[in-house]
Amino acid sequence: MTSSHTDCHFCLQSLCGRKYALREENAYCVPCYDSLYANPCEECKQPIECNSKDLAYKGRHWHEGCFRCAKCSRSLVEKPFAAKDEVLLCTECYSDEYSSKCFHCQKTIMPGSRKMEFKGSSWHESCFVCQYCRQPLGTKPLITKDNENYCVPCFEKQFAHHCYACKKVITSGGVTYDDQPWHKECFVCAGCKTQLSGQRFISKDEYPYCVDCFSRFHAKKCAACKKPITALGDAKYISFEERQWHGECFNCAKCSVSLLGQEFLTRQDDILCHKCGSA
């Protein structure tokens, strides 16, 4: 009668004076154990015999000497490593092949280190800082100018325009008038305060006015029709002896013929063509 520690459980040969291996409380001679249970090495495809160290990772096995980086062949025993498409790589080779490069310093962002993502690029956390104050930006609001990032306070201090009317920072949009920046909501008629962005307006003493307010407060009156002369667009007006006329109103007071480009005479407050004035 045999016992698990005197005879091989598979071939039943005596184990006295021989090396053996245990599996599930059964003893096996070395040749039987290797033939039945030795795992094939992923690298050399040879069985990993019971007298060799078996290194396992995710159900695969290697001899200790075969457990190496697939690119630089350095041993991975007791070293950190990474797997890509079932290939084992040391952290340095993995970083060179697959890790992101920092947009700022162009150095590899090592696996496990914190990185920031912004506009499709990766950054070391220590490199993702305001260009002006050098403080980390993290997840704080930021503004980019010429490929450099700024925190909002620094950007406003360095580059932002200030509204000519309210003196506050213009963060978006805005209107330029007379080489000065304005908020759209601040660019209003100096008379009625109606917003003028996208509207026709007339300036007077560096201030904008809507057409109605300019006509009401500042426009000269036509000597003929008494309506304001705004001179907008291609409108023409005639001035003579402190009086003004719309181009279409500058007519002979008697026969109504246009006097534009013609000689004319005056009689009291009237203007007359040469023919009517000589009659």
Side-chain angles (χ1 to χ4, degrees):
M1 185 173 181
T2 62
S3 73
S4 59
H5 293 281
T6 58
D7 298 327
C8 173
H9 185 69
F10 185 73
C11 70
L12 302 180
Q13 292 185 20
S14 175
L15 297 177
C16 292
R18 300 172 63 190
K19 291 183 178 180
Y20 64 90
L22 292 174
R23 183 180 176 88
E24 297 177 355
E25 298 184 357
N26 295 317
Y28 296 84
C29 63
V30 171
C32 287
Y33 183 89
D34 289 342
S35 65
L36 292 172
Y37 302 114
N39 295 305
C41 175
E42 285 287 327
E43 179 63 24
C44 69
K45 309 306 179 185
Q46 297 300 312
I48 305 172
E49 298 173 342
C50 66
N51 59 350
S52 299
K53 185 177 287 187
D54 184 334
L55 301 180
Y57 174 71
K58 289 190 174 181
R60 297 187 294 157
H61 300 264
W62 289 262
H63 289 105
E64 184 176 17
C66 294
F67 195 60
R68 298 177 177 277
C69 172
K71 184 176 181 184
C72 70
S73 298
R74 284 184 291 186
S75 174
L76 298 177
V77 177
E78 297 183 358
K79 298 288 194 306
F81 64 90
K84 180 69 174 179
D85 300 328
E86 298 188 354
V87 174
L88 302 185
L89 298 167
C90 64
T91 53
E92 290 82 359
C93 290
Y94 182 88
S95 298
D96 290 341
E97 288 288 318
Y98 303 109
S99 292
S100 303
K101 296 288 192 299
C102 176
F103 182 84
H104 178 72
C105 70
Q106 295 303 307
K107 294 181 180 179
T108 299
I109 301 175
M110 298 298 289
S113 62
R114 188 175 182 187
K115 70 177 180 179
M116 310 302 295
E117 299 282 346
F118 180 64
K119 290 188 175 180
S121 298
S122 301
W123 307 64
H124 290 113
E125 186 177 23
S126 58
C127 291
F128 195 58
V129 299
C130 171
Q131 179 67 18
Y132 186 72
C133 69
R134 311 306 299 177
Q135 294 300 306
L137 290 169
T139 57
K140 294 187 294 188
L142 61 93
I143 301 173
T144 300
K145 178 178 174 62
D146 300 330
N147 287 330
E148 299 289 357
N149 299 321
Y150 298 84
C151 63
V152 173
C154 286
F155 182 85
E156 292 179 351
K157 186 186 300 181
Q158 291 293 105
F159 305 110
H161 295 295
H162 290 75
C163 177
Y164 182 77
C166 71
K167 311 305 179 186
K168 295 180 180 179
V169 170
I170 300 174
T171 56
S172 63
V175 175
T176 298
Y177 164 66
D178 199 22
D179 294 328
Q180 298 292 345
W182 305 61
H183 289 114
K184 286 184 178 181
E185 59 271 22
C186 293
F187 190 60
V188 298
C189 171
C192 66
K193 307 304 179 185
T194 299
Q195 287 194 19
L196 296 177
S197 178
Q199 307 298 319
R200 299 174 73 188
F201 63 90
I202 305 171
S203 61
K204 174 70 174 177
D205 300 329
E206 298 185 358
Y207 289 97
Y209 290 84
C210 66
V211 175
D212 290 341
C213 286
F214 182 85
S215 300
R216 186 181 307 124
F217 300 120
H218 300 291
K220 299 180 183 299
K221 301 297 191 292
C222 176
C225 70
K226 309 306 180 185
K227 294 180 180 179
I229 299 173
T230 61
L232 284 174
D234 295 327
K236 296 180 180 179
Y237 72 96
I238 296 85
S239 180
F240 177 72
E241 292 184 349
E242 298 184 357
R243 291 188 293 165
Q244 289 79 33
W245 290 262
H246 292 110
E248 63 273 18
C249 294
F250 193 59
N251 302 323
C252 174
K254 187 172 182 180
C255 70
S256 298
V257 68
S258 174
L259 297 178
L260 289 174
Q262 307 297 320
E263 292 184 357
F264 62 90
L265 303 172
T266 61
R267 182 179 296 165
Q268 297 179 346
D269 291 336
D270 293 332
I271 54 172
L272 302 168
C273 66
H274 192 273
K275 180 179 179 179
C276 292
S278 300

